[in-house]
Amino acid sequence: MPELPEVETVRRMLEAHVVGRTVRAVRLSGLALREPVSRGLARGIRGRSIRGMSRLGKFLIFELDEGLTLLSHLGMSGRWLFSDGERVEPLPHVHARIGFADGSTLRFQDPRRFGLLRLVRAERLARDRAIASLGPDPIASPPTGESLRARARGLTASVKSFLLDQKKIAGIGNIYASEILFRAHVDPRRRAGALKGAEWDAIAAEISAVLNEAIARSGTTFSMYRTLWNEPGEYGDQLRVYDRAREPCRTCGTPIRRIVQGQRSTYFCPRCQSRKAAPTG
DNA sequence: ATCCTATCCTGTAGGC
DNA sequence: TGCCTACAGGATAGGA
């Protein structure tokens, strides 16, 4: 569900509201997420204070004292929700409830349980199996056309699946992959290894533009995603193609097409994203 | 190595 | 109203 802009929105809010707080109590649901949540996790973070919040691709990293980090992934339906007051309204599907010493509460809610909570020693984080395989983060290191072209050399899979591959570049998901390719005027069905330098240049520029614009609007709420305050993101009305099958292209009026690639929906304009179209930039 | 499929899980929307 | 199917922002294991 949440892609880089949504995760970055949550990171910024956590940085503003939970950094500096000390964990007093932890309650776990006991249900497995993507992997079982270790019993040692509750013990490990109790008494720790949160020193910082970082992000790599779609992973959130709570930097704790004592050389510990809490690695978190929202999967398809995960949310971190913060409550400042005394009263915390009951919610279903809460898998971790962190009570702070000052009485505030942070909860991890995840109905589909594809998320991840893992306690990792800070010095081992870069070698953690979830983190070690990630490609570069496009906010920390903005991609260049040449860097993308080098990573795609020889690949026969589609450019859409290339953008979704977290080993190639970390943080892009199904919504922004379609949006980026539309704005770069590239057909999502093209083989990644066959794109020209100018096409990679356009894709690199649109990766940065789309992600930064979405961050500025607190991300996209398609259905489940919410910010730390349970508010929706505001990028939804900026979407050019995602979830717009049969609706007119905002540029040329041609009906937007939906196709399936790797069991995921892809949306594109068959006219603006064809090689015959004259890109207008 | 790369590519593709199936799988994990719950909620929701739409057709009948 | 209920029942059914399809689909949903993700990652990964396993086989070709």
Side-chain angles (χ1 to χ4, degrees):
Chain A
M1 164 181 87
E3 308 180 31
L4 188 152
E6 292 76 40
V7 178
E8 175 62 16
T9 298
V10 173
R11 188 201 68 78
R12 290 180 181 186
M13 291 182 162
L14 288 168
E15 184 169 68
H17 294 101
V18 307
V19 166
R21 297 186 197 262
T22 299
V23 177
R24 184 185 62 195
V26 181
R27 183 171 181 101
L28 303 176
S29 70
L31 293 179
L33 302 177
R34 181 198 308 178
E35 67 184 26
V37 179
S38 84
R39 293 298 312 164
L41 185 141
R43 217 169 344 106
I45 66 178
R46 194 170 298 133
R48 302 280 64 76
S49 58
I50 299 176
R51 293 290 173 79
M53 289 298 312
S54 55
R55 181 193 55 73
L56 275 175
K58 301 173 193 171
F59 287 87
L60 268 175
I61 299 154
F62 294 76
E63 300 164 353
L64 310 174
D65 58 6
E66 308 269 330
L68 288 173
T69 63
L70 175 61
L71 184 60
S72 154
H73 194 292
L74 301 177
M76 289 282 256
S77 58
R79 301 171 177 171
W80 283 104
L81 296 169
F82 183 70
S83 305
D84 217 341
E86 296 293 311
R87 282 174 52 93
V88 180
E89 104 236 53
L91 282 178
H93 308 299
V94 170
H95 298 105
R97 175 183 164 141
I98 299 174
F100 294 111
D102 62 6
S104 58
T105 303
L106 184 64
R107 291 182 290 178
F108 184 73
Q109 182 190 38
D110 186 6
R112 293 179 70 178
R113 295 197 264 131
F114 293 163
L116 175 75
L117 293 176
R118 188 188 290 171
L119 192 62
V120 183
R121 303 205 59 79
E123 74 268 17
R124 289 199 52 235
L125 183 65
R127 280 171 284 139
D128 185 277
R129 66 184 185 281
I131 297 295
S133 59
L134 291 179
D137 181 278
I139 299 301
S141 351
T144 64
E146 187 50 43
S147 69
L148 295 175
R149 195 166 69 114
R151 282 181 173 263
R153 190 159 293 143
L155 300 185
T156 58
S158 69
V159 61
K160 162 74 180 319
S161 61
F162 174 88
L163 291 180
L164 287 182
D165 186 345
Q166 305 298 298
K167 298 182 191 63
K168 305 295 192 301
I169 181 167
I172 298 170
N174 208 37
I175 291 181
Y176 298 111
S178 283
E179 295 298 308
I180 288 162
L181 290 173
F182 172 79
R183 288 174 47 158
H185 308 284
V186 172
D187 188 316
R189 300 166 293 187
R190 299 273 304 285
R191 291 177 177 224
L195 295 191
K196 304 294 183 241
E199 294 172 313
W200 283 119
D201 289 343
I203 291 170
E206 296 301 341
I207 287 172
S208 291
V210 168
L211 296 181
N212 280 300
E213 289 168 25
I215 290 169
R217 290 177 159 78
S218 305
T220 302
T221 294
F222 179 64
S223 63
M224 299 284 298
Y225 161 75
R226 292 293 188 284
T227 71
L228 198 60
W229 302 104
N230 208 14
E231 294 162 330
E234 294 168 355
Y235 190 75
D237 49 10
Q238 307 293 315
L239 297 176
R240 316 276 226 271
V241 290
Y242 185 83
D243 200 34
R244 297 195 63 240
R246 298 180 304 283
E247 294 175 42
C249 172
R250 299 193 199 284
T251 300
C252 75
T254 302
I256 298 301
R257 278 191 64 191
R258 173 188 179 271
I259 60 174
V260 175
Q261 297 179 290
Q263 294 115 234
R264 318 283 312 271
S265 294
T266 300
Y267 300 86
F268 70 106
C269 172
R271 182 166 174 183
C272 293
Q273 291 171 259
S274 82
R275 272 185 279 188
K276 290 177 189 166
T280 52

